[in-house]
Amino acid sequence: MICPKCGREFAAPDLRSLNVAADPSLRERVKDGSVFVCKCPVCGADCLAPEPILYHDPEHKLLIAYTTAGLSSEGLEGYTCRLVSSVGELIEKVKVFDAGLDDVALELCKFVTSQELKKNVSLKFLKMDGADGEITLTYPENGQMQMLEIGHNVYTDCVGIVSRNPVLRQSAQGLVRIDQAWVSQFIAG
Ligand SMILES: [Zn+2]
């Protein structure tokens, strides 16, 4: 990879097999992002590891791929396979699935919430907590990260909508990119 600061080339860490079953400490280092940061050996700058990055959670049958190379979901029957376009999206997916949430319903939730906000912002899942399972989303505004709490019932409603929509369910099969653009094609169409 090329260091964005000094322009020198160095060997990127191999993140083609982030298997959380083989290394349990990996899960947290993925979620806090530290596993994706590498140091340039020339100038010492912190750099973000490039693709391809493959996250694999065999216990939960989950595969998340950050790559533009051709990938097939062959041999991954019963798996939830997701394509993402950035390290940030990969981290968000891991947080969503680790919270036991369905990412299709969550993307719908984000879509509905951004409509209500009447703001053209990109919402990200941060966490689910509290006795009522409140969901915290974040979005950037005026250079700052804003937090937004939504009730668990919003998510539950979205789970219901998804379960009653076979086309939506069907399109979430295989190795797919589930994001705001994906959800909006079913709603805005
Ligand atoms: Zn450098």
Side-chain angles (χ1 to χ4, degrees):
M1 65 179 287
I2 309 278
C3 169
K5 195 172 171 208
C6 74
R8 291 286 286 273
E9 193 168 359
F10 65 97
D14 188 349
L15 304 178
R16 285 172 299 178
S17 180
L18 293 174
N19 188 324
V20 289
D23 179 359
S25 76
L26 201 52
R27 193 184 293 278
E28 286 315 310
R29 286 186 288 131
V30 165
K31 284 197 270 193
D32 68 18
S34 57
V35 74
F36 306 108
V37 179
C38 51
K39 257 196 190 337
C40 168
V42 182
C43 75
D46 280 336
C47 308
L48 199 58
E51 59 161 297
I53 298 175
L54 232 64
Y55 177 88
H56 186 196
D57 183 346
E59 192 193 336
H60 298 105
K61 290 193 185 302
L62 174 66
L63 184 87
I64 306 171
Y66 169 38
T67 177
T68 47
L71 261 183
S72 101
S73 51
E74 216 173 295
L76 290 166
E77 284 76 22
Y79 261 75
T80 300
C81 303
R82 297 293 184 246
L83 267 178
V84 292
S85 352
S86 68
V87 162
E89 280 182 25
L90 190 149
I91 295 171
E92 184 188 16
K93 286 285 175 205
V94 173
K95 285 182 183 170
V96 168
F97 286 111
D98 276 9
L101 299 171
D102 175 308
D103 69 329
V104 175
L106 189 86
E107 287 299 331
L108 186 57
C109 227
K110 282 160 64 173
F111 186 87
V112 170
T113 306
S114 71
Q115 298 280 46
E116 278 178 10
L117 267 180
K118 295 189 170 63
K119 285 178 187 168
N120 186 22
V121 289
S122 162
L123 295 170
K124 266 200 181 315
F125 173 81
L126 179 67
K127 59 179 179 171
M128 179 176 78
D129 56 10
D132 301 323
E134 269 164 350
I135 291 172
T136 307
L137 302 174
T138 61
Y139 63 95
E141 192 174 58
N142 305 327
Q144 284 194 319
M145 201 49 94
Q146 306 293 328
M147 298 235 225
L148 182 71
E149 264 193 5
I150 57 169
H152 198 80
N153 60 309
V154 181
Y155 171 76
T156 314
D157 287 348
C158 290
V159 170
I161 294 167
V162 173
S163 71
R164 289 189 298 273
N165 191 326
V167 178
L168 207 64
R169 267 276 149 241
Q170 197 58 40
S171 341
Q173 301 294 313
L175 188 63
V176 281
R177 199 181 296 275
I178 305 288
D179 55 14
Q180 286 301 278
W182 182 85
V183 163
S184 63
Q185 65 180 328
F186 296 98
I187 295 164

